[in-house]
Amino acid sequence: MNPVKYILFLFAILFSSCIGQMVYDVKKTYEIVDEMERYSQSEEALTKRERLINEKTLTFQYSDKIESSENSELINYRDLVLRLCETLLNNLEGSIQLIRQKHGTDPDGNLNDRWSSFHVNKIFIEDGRGKMIKLSIGQTIDQLIEGAMDIEIDLTADELPLKLNLFMEEEGKTWEEYFFKDMPAIATIPIFGKFKQDVTLTKLDLLERLASTVDSE
């Protein structure tokens, strides 16, 4: 399996009904992989990828334009967006580094015992870090929306790339169990990677929206 399909395979596990347990329906999983690979070449996916690649430049450009407005409300909300997103990114990256620390890595940087779920269960289920991450994501979304409302910008959770989908709770499973229980360590890396991308895209979308407000003043 080539590297791209390998990563997509891990994401397919994440989005399949087999998450957190052995994937028995291999054919179905590979169908999901193929679908995700097609999406990865779509215009939407390519646009997101381009924004992520140019994240630092875009952040500077949007921030600079907001600063030039000399509008204290816009500047304060910009600073809130940057602070909240940076804090959440650090929490997510910290989880990746914790997994790497517990497992150790080989000379090429690959996780040792990568298919074990022991440390994942211990860290994210037993020790409660999974619940903490869920709360951090939820609080970040709420504060971003509240901050936008304070300066009379209409913003809903559906508009943000960063989402806290809780559909699994209708089936009697917690968010942290869905994402982490019995999950192989190697599969947690792309999970956190996806959340980090969503946080970055959320930051860029909100900064761009503020910058466009400056143009319309």
Side-chain angles (χ1 to χ4, degrees), residues 132-186:
M132 180 272 288
I133 292 170
K134 173 195 171 184
L135 291 173
S136 295
I137 293 173
Q139 289 171 355
T140 298
I141 293 171
D142 289 344
Q143 291 179 60
L144 290 173
I145 293 173
E146 290 170 6
M149 291 175 62
D150 288 342
I151 57 174
E152 299 182 350
I153 292 179
D154 291 330
L155 181 67
T156 66
D158 289 339
E159 297 176 76
L160 299 177
L162 178 64
K163 300 185 187 305
L164 191 61
N165 296 313
L166 300 174
F167 60 88
M168 72 291 296
E169 293 185 351
E170 297 178 1
E171 302 173 359
K173 185 176 291 188
T174 67
W175 184 90
E176 55 270 25
E177 287 173 337
Y178 181 84
F179 279 100
F180 301 114
K181 188 173 182 180
D182 298 329
M183 179 64 67
I186 187 63

Side-chain angles (χ1 to χ4, degrees), residues 28-83:
K28 179 178 177 63
T29 301
Y30 272 95
E31 287 174 355
I32 298 173
V33 170
D34 289 337
E35 181 178 345
M36 294 180 72
E37 188 170 31
R38 285 193 296 273
Y39 171 77
S40 72
Q41 299 304 315
S42 69
E43 183 176 349
E44 178 184 356
L46 293 174
T47 298
K48 288 182 178 180
R49 191 176 307 149
E50 187 71 18
R51 286 172 69 77
L52 289 168
I53 291 172
N54 296 300
E55 177 261 330
K56 290 184 179 179
T57 299
L58 291 172
T59 298
F60 175 80
Q61 290 175 347
Y62 297 148
S63 294
D64 192 53
K65 177 167 283 191
I66 296 164
E67 188 73 31
S68 70
S69 72
E70 299 183 353
N71 183 317
S72 61
E73 288 187 338
L74 295 182
I75 292 171
N76 288 340
Y77 184 58
R78 175 205 64 185
D79 293 344
L80 176 69
V81 170
L82 292 173
R83 184 174 68 254

Side-chain angles (χ1 to χ4, degrees), residues 15 18 23 65 77 149 157 161 180 195 197 200 210:
F15 289 112
C18 304
V23 178
K65 177 167 283 191
Y77 184 58
M149 291 175 62
F180 301 114
F195 279 125
Q197 287 185 0
T200 300
L210 290 175

